[in-house]
Amino acid sequence: MSRVPVGRLHHLIVDCPDPGASARFWSEVLGQPVTYDDGDFAVVSADTATSGLAFQRSPDQRPATWPDPAVPQQMHLDVMVDDQPAAAEAVRALGARQLDGDYVFADPAGHPFCLIPRPGWAPPVNQA
């Protein structure tokens, strides 16, 4: 059964105290360049027109205590969409809950994700 997607994964966002340091680490581990770094947000991806792994400054972030759930993992998904209002309606219909912020939701298990406008370099999500 073929389904029409609501969106496409853009980046997996990881909270961290130093986005540049985390990006440099994962750049070396994955063999991909740091393609964006403004000091508070950094991206590791094959190129500037490819989704990847991103790091977001969270100054009070405490490392996860895996497997002890006392301090859970801190990350969220960015989902690129062609039409944010339509995508918001679609994810709500699937059971998402609106959180504080523009187009920020939680999946049914409570994991946060953001619906972001599709970047100009990415093809439309729902190509005819």
Side-chain angles (χ1 to χ4, degrees), residues 6-13 56 74-81 84 86-116:
V6 172
R8 182 181 316 118
L9 181 63
H10 183 42
H11 294 309
L12 173 64
I13 313 295
Q56 173 177 276
Q74 302 93 14
M75 59 183 66
H76 71 273
L77 300 175
D78 272 359
V79 177
M80 65 173 84
V81 298
Q84 284 177 299
E89 184 177 323
V91 298
R92 279 191 209 94
L94 293 170
R97 178 173 45 92
Q98 181 86 42
L99 300 176
D100 288 340
D102 292 338
Y103 298 102
V104 180
F105 297 87
D107 70 12
H111 302 108
F113 66 95
C114 299
L115 299 177
I116 65 161

Side-chain angles (χ1 to χ4, degrees), residues 12-97:
L12 173 64
I13 313 295
V14 180
D15 286 354
C16 59
D18 184 345
S22 291
R24 288 187 298 276
F25 172 82
W26 285 103
S27 172
E28 291 296 320
V29 170
L30 300 173
Q32 293 188 339
V34 176
T35 56
Y36 181 84
D37 187 350
D38 70 5
D40 289 321
F41 191 82
V43 175
V44 173
S45 58
D47 54 49
T48 59
T50 304
S51 299
L53 188 57
F55 304 91
Q56 173 177 276
R57 184 173 303 282
S58 178
D60 298 325
Q61 187 263 346
R62 295 176 20 215
T65 53
W66 179 266
D68 179 356
V71 179
Q73 301 172 57
Q74 302 93 14
M75 59 183 66
H76 71 273
L77 300 175
D78 272 359
V79 177
M80 65 173 84
V81 298
D82 294 324
D83 180 327
Q84 284 177 299
E89 184 177 323
V91 298
R92 279 191 209 94
L94 293 170
R97 178 173 45 92

